[in-house]
């Protein structure tokens, strides 16, 4: 299964996406997810060990909801998920 197929099937609340994937560049996956009408509303948080200053703007222009630099601290992850996920009413 591709990431897009799996996301279509499982419909996650959010996606944590690493830029360094074994078979496809993370930016390409981000573009595919954003181009899908059924998946484009799912928040995508990019998690990367790549240099933040070189990747943050590109990631955000590509449609990501957030960016976390590895190593990720639990508090950072929870905070960004609070920001990107809809709040219960």
């Amino acid at each position: 299964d591709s990431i897009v197929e799996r996301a279509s099937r499982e419909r996650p609340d959010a996606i944590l996406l690493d830029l360094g994937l074994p078979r496809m560049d993370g930016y390409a996956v981000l573009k595919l997810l954003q181009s899908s009408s059924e998946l484009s509303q799912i928040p995508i948080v990019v998690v990367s060990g790549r240099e933040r200053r070189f990747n943050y703007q590109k990631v955000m222009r590509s449609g990501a909801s957030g960016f976390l630099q590895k190593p990720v601290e639990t508090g950072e992850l929870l905070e960004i998920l609070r920001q990107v996920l809809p709040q219960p009413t």
Side-chain angles (χ1 to χ4, degrees), residues 13-32:
D13 293 326
I15 295 171
L16 299 178
L17 176 65
D18 197 324
L19 293 178
L21 299 173
R23 288 183 275 179
M24 182 182 280
D25 178 69
Y27 286 110
V29 173
L30 180 58
K31 185 176 180 177
L32 283 172

Side-chain angles (χ1 to χ4, degrees), residues 55-70:
N55 290 286
Y56 178 79
Q57 293 296 330
K58 185 176 179 182
V59 162
M60 299 309 284
R61 280 193 311 266
S62 297
S65 300
F67 181 92
L68 289 171
Q69 182 76 39
K70 287 181 184 180

